[in-house]
Amino acid sequence: MAADAEVAVRTSEASHLRIAARVRDVASRRETLLNLVRKELKVKYAQSVLGAIWSLLNPIVFLAVFSFVMRITNNQFRDYPVYLLSGLLAWNLCSVSLTTGARSVIDNGNLVKKVAFPREILPLSAIGVALVDFVLQSAVLFLFIPASGHGFHLLELSVYPLAFLTLIVFTTAMTLWLAALNVRYRDIQHLLNLGLLVWFWFTPIVYSGYLVKDVLTRHPVLGVNLWNVFLGNPLTPIVMGFQRALYAVVRPIGSPKPVLPDVSLPWLAGVLAIVLVASLAFLRLTWGTFFRLSGDFAEEL
Amino acid sequence: MTAAIEVADVSKKFRLFRERPTSVKQRLLSARSRAEDFWALRNVSFDVLEGTSLGLIGQNGSGKTTLLKIVAGILRPTSGVVRQRGRMAALLELGAGFHPELTGRENVYLNASFLGLSRRETDRAYDAIVEFAGLEEFMDNQAKFYSSGMLVRLGFAVAVHVDPEVLLIDEVLAVGDEAFQAKCLERIRRFQREGRTIVLVTHALDTVRAICDRAVMLHQGRVHALGSPDDVVREMRYLLLGQVDEGFVPEEGTREAEIEAVDLVYPNGSTEGPLVRDDPFTIQVDVRTNEPVDDLDVDFEILDGATNHPVLDGRASRAGVTIGRFDGKRRVRFHVSSFPYTAGKYWITIGLSSRETGRLYHVQTQRYLLEVIEVPRVQERVDVPVTIEVEDL
Ligand SMILES: Nc1ncnc2c1ncn2[C@@H]1O[C@H](COP(=O)(O)OP(=O)(O)OP(=O)(O)O)[C@@H](O)[C@H]1O
Ligand SMILES: [Mg+2]
């Protein structure tokens, strides 16, 4: 053994989180992370004949049903399935990560009590699983968009990476936070389900973002434009980013009103950038909380 | 030599809740009232030098697992410091992460990654792991079709293929049949030869004596004994046999008469062992009285250190020997004509008592060590009946 071998020091103090060192720690255990994701996927589709195809079937059925319904009801909302799915997939990535991530430490209690590894791996693996579904389902959507005749708009598509990155950072920050708190306060997960329900309807996913912007801007409350408050929900600009990237057209030809909020692309990108920076700061904060609390996970479970 | 593990003044406090508050409401309600402090470890200090093996023993609940978890970084100490050098693996459980839906192969990779093996290292060790577990045909079956014995074998096979400089083992060797345990021990010996540092928690005291360089005994969270395995195991046995709560009682009795000295006299006349198997020896007990005694009786008992079973005993009164009334000193010799038991360590208990009332004057429990060795010798011809049978094929 080398004399200068690394010395691990364990004290009562929760050591201060040094991001770079911690990222290295987690990265050095990435195989554990990948194995866990693989395990979760296996278990999820165990004994199902179609396996991962179920993941693909979900959006396919969605697209088929909504295309059909929209056609027979002769709805004014053009290419509604594309609009719906571009926002919904992003939402699902976040909400599934949060629900499974919040439980991840508790569900793996036996591992936490018996094995030493960076605890972040557990919520991260929950995100990983949701991400796999997201990628598969997005692939369906990406095929559907040109196939349905809606088509891609390259300029708008360029905002996709920014929206995706922001979504991932925000989701990770929230998931770490909830996972850590849930160990101590188990009612977090029940609260979360309720919260997500409300959150979902306060995010323009199934309804048109323009509609909200229009109504809220025309009816200020006490001189406050509530649209700005509405944008305070970080998922709103994120979902708007995905919709702008994939649905792309603010006002489809033949529509009486815009579908997407009539904001310029640079403005949207700017808001997303702000949300990204804020999410990074939030991530730093929640990671610190997670790290501090994770020293006691084995005891609390 | 440097220490691979330094445990310095480590204490660990658990908060015991009658019912663990797991919700906000409960936590607010039970803010102070319900929690009790429980010290699982108190001011524990010791070092483990590089390349040595330490046995960690103690009764159930004495804090062994807690200590191991602190060294492994799973639990944080309440106070004190642990410093640990070199790559470490902690085996607190076999097959950590095993999932019934995964195949044997997938479980191996998952479990190995939890123990800190990279994919490439697992690839390299994979064949050896499968062979060690003896599960070649089953690796592509889901683990839910494995028997529990197969799961244990697989978990252990992965565990022994980790490649750490420091290895912490908590009772995982206690599982499995005898052949399997022998295989485990053989592995540990190999780890030792390779110069790895090992901390072994076990209830098998003889394993500790057989393979550890040093031992620590915990009792109610404190270091109760620390030193050579023989000494520490002996203290542990005092405690186990005496079933005393506070500390151990190596000696007891009313002390009208006392054991002043005990010597083992070997065939060559010396008092230095070891004894060769089947040879005679003498237990020589010097007795001193503190007041005149009328009816002294002396006895001894020899316990097999490997199994903790008594193998031989003797008592003056039973042999018809009367020591009689005396005041002062006397020497009693038990001549054991042959000691036919296998090589190993044996512990001798000496007792002085009243022949009539049974009152214990002085007892020293398992105080004296008799070490027996075996020397190869020419085998004698003996008559063993042999039967012969012929049959048509
Ligand atoms: N998470 C915990 N919360 C509260 N008390 C705990 C916790 N973990 C262990 N204890 C207590 O600490 C004491 C020491 O436990 P530990 O598991 O270290 O004992 P041990 O020496 O390993 O025993 P055994 O031989 O049975 O394995 C026990 O009384 C146990 O109840
Ligand atoms: Mg234990």
Side-chain angles (χ1 to χ4, degrees):
Chain A
M1 209 181 293
D4 59 340
E6 215 174 298
V7 181
V9 179
R10 316 200 193 288
T11 60
S12 57
E13 301 290 298
S15 46
H16 185 69
L17 171 63
R18 279 192 302 277
I19 291 285
R22 194 60 177 170
V23 167
R24 255 197 318 271
D25 278 356
V26 175
S28 74
R29 301 300 291 267
R30 63 187 175 281
E31 281 167 5
T32 312
L33 178 59
L34 291 178
N35 278 329
L36 264 183
V37 172
R38 213 170 288 139
K39 174 191 109 178
E40 293 297 335
L41 290 172
K42 271 285 290 220
V43 171
K44 191 163 143 200
Y45 297 117
Q47 291 188 328
S48 67
V49 184
L50 295 180
I53 300 204
W54 284 116
S55 269
L56 299 174
L57 226 49
N58 208 356
I60 291 174
V61 170
F62 244 88
L63 290 170
V65 167
F66 276 103
S67 302
F68 180 71
V69 170
M70 289 294 155
R71 177 138 326 143
I72 59 166
T73 57
N74 198 12
N75 199 296
Q76 294 293 299
F77 206 134
R78 277 205 52 190
D79 292 333
Y80 181 67
V82 174
Y83 177 80
L84 176 64
L85 235 61
S86 50
L88 190 61
L89 294 188
W91 165 265
N92 281 348
L93 173 56
C94 182
S95 72
V96 171
S97 296
L98 292 190
T99 37
T100 55
R103 283 202 323 265
S104 60
V105 177
I106 295 172
D107 286 353
N108 291 288
N110 202 35
L111 277 176
V112 173
K113 280 190 277 187
K114 298 287 176 72
V115 190
F117 60 91
R119 301 331 189 179
E120 286 87 340
I121 285 183
L122 296 172
L124 287 182
S125 77
I127 298 173
V129 173
L131 196 58
V132 171
D133 269 351
F134 175 83
V135 168
L136 288 176
Q137 301 187 344
S138 293
V140 173
L141 182 60
F142 271 70
L143 289 177
F144 181 80
I145 289 172
S148 69
H150 187 82
F152 284 112
H153 297 69
L154 287 184
L155 188 62
E156 275 78 10
L157 197 58
S158 66
V159 80
Y160 191 93
L162 180 60
F164 179 73
L165 185 66
T166 311
L167 175 65
I168 289 294
V169 173
F170 177 71
T171 301
T172 309
M174 281 295 285
T175 307
L176 284 177
W177 191 48
L178 292 177
L181 290 186
N182 198 32
V183 175
R184 202 163 284 182
Y185 310 105
R186 303 284 162 93
D187 18 20
I188 294 274
Q189 42 188 313
H190 308 297
L191 209 65
L192 178 63
N193 289 335
L194 219 66
L196 282 175
L197 194 70
V198 177
W199 199 355
F200 179 75
W201 291 104
F202 272 92
T203 310
I205 297 166
V206 293
Y207 50 85
S208 148
Y210 173 79
L211 223 65
V212 187
K213 177 169 185 271
D214 189 40
V215 170
L216 292 180
T217 312
R218 276 194 287 121
H219 304 285
V221 176
L222 303 171
V224 179
N225 182 353
L226 286 182
W227 170 243
N228 292 328
V229 178
F230 195 73
L231 279 177
N233 163 15
L235 278 181
T236 297
I238 291 173
V239 161
M240 277 166 57
F242 276 92
Q243 289 162 340
R244 190 63 173 258
L246 300 178
Y247 191 77
V249 277
V250 173
R251 179 178 189 156
I253 303 155
S255 285
K257 274 186 289 181
V259 168
L260 303 180
D262 50 348
V263 295
S264 75
L265 199 57
W267 186 88
L268 182 57
V271 171
L272 274 175
I274 293 171
V275 176
L276 177 60
V277 171
S279 297
L280 281 170
F282 185 43
L283 176 61
R284 175 67 185 76
L285 205 73
T286 62
W287 199 347
T289 306
F290 185 93
F291 185 70
R292 186 164 44 78
L293 295 180
S294 69
D296 294 329
F297 283 170
E299 212 167 315
E300 303 236 0
L301 287 168
Chain B
M1 251 203 304
T2 44
I5 302 172
E6 291 168 45
V7 177
D9 206 25
V10 165
S11 298
K12 177 70 193 176
K13 181 175 75 180
F14 285 119
R15 297 180 68 67
L16 292 183
F17 299 97
R18 269 188 223 123
E19 198 178 336
R20 190 171 276 284
T22 49
S23 70
V24 180
K25 188 183 118 208
Q26 285 176 29
R27 200 165 272 266
L28 290 178
L29 289 180
S30 66
R32 253 153 290 134
S33 56
R34 287 284 184 82
E36 271 167 49
D37 288 348
F38 173 76
W39 290 90
L41 292 175
R42 279 233 196 222
N43 307 100
V44 173
S45 300
F46 60 85
D47 288 354
V48 187
L49 296 182
E50 275 175 12
T52 65
S53 301
L54 178 90
L56 189 55
I57 60 178
Q59 289 171 306
N60 293 123
S62 55
K64 306 179 295 292
T65 302
T66 306
L67 182 56
L68 226 53
K69 283 183 175 177
I70 289 175
V71 174
I74 297 170
L75 291 175
R76 267 206 294 251
T78 306
S79 66
V81 187
V82 174
R83 284 191 196 79
Q84 184 266 315
R85 274 180 204 83
R87 178 173 152 153
M88 181 177 67
L91 305 180
L92 291 153
E93 188 183 50
L94 289 180
F98 272 10
H99 196 285
E101 293 288 348
L102 300 185
T103 66
R105 185 188 178 83
E106 289 162 338
N107 273 318
V108 165
Y109 277 87
L110 184 61
N111 181 223
S113 75
F114 272 116
L115 295 177
L117 250 63
S118 72
R119 179 160 199 92
R120 199 171 317 136
E121 287 168 320
T122 315
D123 281 339
R124 238 181 289 135
Y126 184 76
D127 289 335
I129 290 173
V130 175
E131 199 204 311
F132 192 93
L135 294 172
E136 286 86 348
E137 310 98 271
F138 302 99
M139 292 313 287
D140 291 321
N141 294 358
Q142 282 178 314
K144 62 181 167 190
F145 300 120
Y146 284 26
S147 71
S148 53
M150 286 157 81
L151 280 175
V152 166
R153 291 216 304 273
L154 192 60
F156 189 79
V158 179
V160 298
H161 285 88
V162 296
D163 185 34
E165 289 156 313
V166 180
L167 188 62
L168 312 177
I169 308 175
D170 188 5
E171 286 185 283
V172 290
L173 304 176
V175 295
D177 54 25
E178 226 156 80
F180 181 75
Q181 292 196 11
K183 217 167 167 180
C184 301
L185 281 186
E186 193 268 318
R187 262 299 153 148
I188 290 187
R189 289 225 163 83
R190 196 167 116 190
F191 277 143
Q192 289 178 318
R193 282 198 299 277
E194 290 164 350
R196 297 174 207 263
T197 311
I198 299 176
V199 177
L200 180 70
V201 170
T202 179
H203 288 286
L205 300 181
D206 305 298
T207 308
V208 173
R209 295 212 302 201
I211 63 182
C212 293
D213 304 306
R214 264 156 59 87
V216 169
M217 175 186 163
L218 292 180
H219 182 55
Q220 295 175 350
R222 295 173 192 273
V223 173
H224 184 80
L226 183 152
S228 83
D230 283 342
D231 292 343
V232 175
V233 165
R234 191 177 339 136
E235 306 247 324
M236 178 76 190
R237 291 220 156 107
Y238 283 139
L239 190 75
L240 286 179
L241 295 179
Q243 288 304 319
V244 220
D245 285 334
E246 270 308 322
F248 67 100
V249 181
E251 317 195 23
E252 55 184 324
T254 50
R255 304 288 173 108
E256 285 90 336
E258 265 186 86
I259 300 165
E260 196 173 53
V262 174
D263 282 307
L264 302 182
V265 185
Y266 296 91
N268 58 1
S270 100
T271 55
E272 294 290 315
L275 181 74
V276 176
R277 183 178 176 180
D278 290 329
D279 272 2
F281 72 103
T282 298
I283 304 170
Q284 179 175 296
V285 183
D286 293 352
V287 184
R288 176 169 50 91
T289 58
N290 291 326
E291 55 189 80
V293 285
D294 285 326
D295 53 351
L296 185 73
D297 197 3
V298 185
D299 72 299
F300 76 93
E301 185 181 58
I302 303 181
L303 205 76
D304 178 1
T307 59
N308 229 347
H309 277 288
V311 292
L312 185 69
D313 56 17
R315 180 178 284 276
S317 60
R318 215 169 50 216
V321 177
T322 319
I323 297 171
R325 178 188 168 85
F326 79 102
D327 190 13
K329 293 184 180 185
R330 272 195 189 176
R331 174 168 289 178
V332 179
R333 290 199 187 91
F334 295 93
H335 296 290
V336 180
S337 62
S338 159
F339 195 78
Y341 303 100
T342 52
K345 289 175 175 169
Y346 294 81
W347 297 98
I348 302 179
T349 299
I350 304 291
L352 306 182
S353 56
S354 159
R355 192 171 170 160
E356 269 135 45
T357 62
R359 177 188 180 88
L360 295 178
Y361 294 137
H362 193 188
V363 178
Q364 292 180 327
T365 309
Q366 295 183 51
R367 178 65 160 277
Y368 303 99
L369 173 67
L370 170 66
E371 201 160 10
V372 177
I373 56 167
E374 225 152 334
V375 288
R377 54 183 111 185
V378 178
Q379 305 267 13
E380 300 278 328
R381 195 176 253 287
V382 284
D383 265 337
V384 178
V386 178
T387 56
I388 300 173
E389 206 180 324
V390 181
E391 74 185 290
D392 278 333
L393 286 180

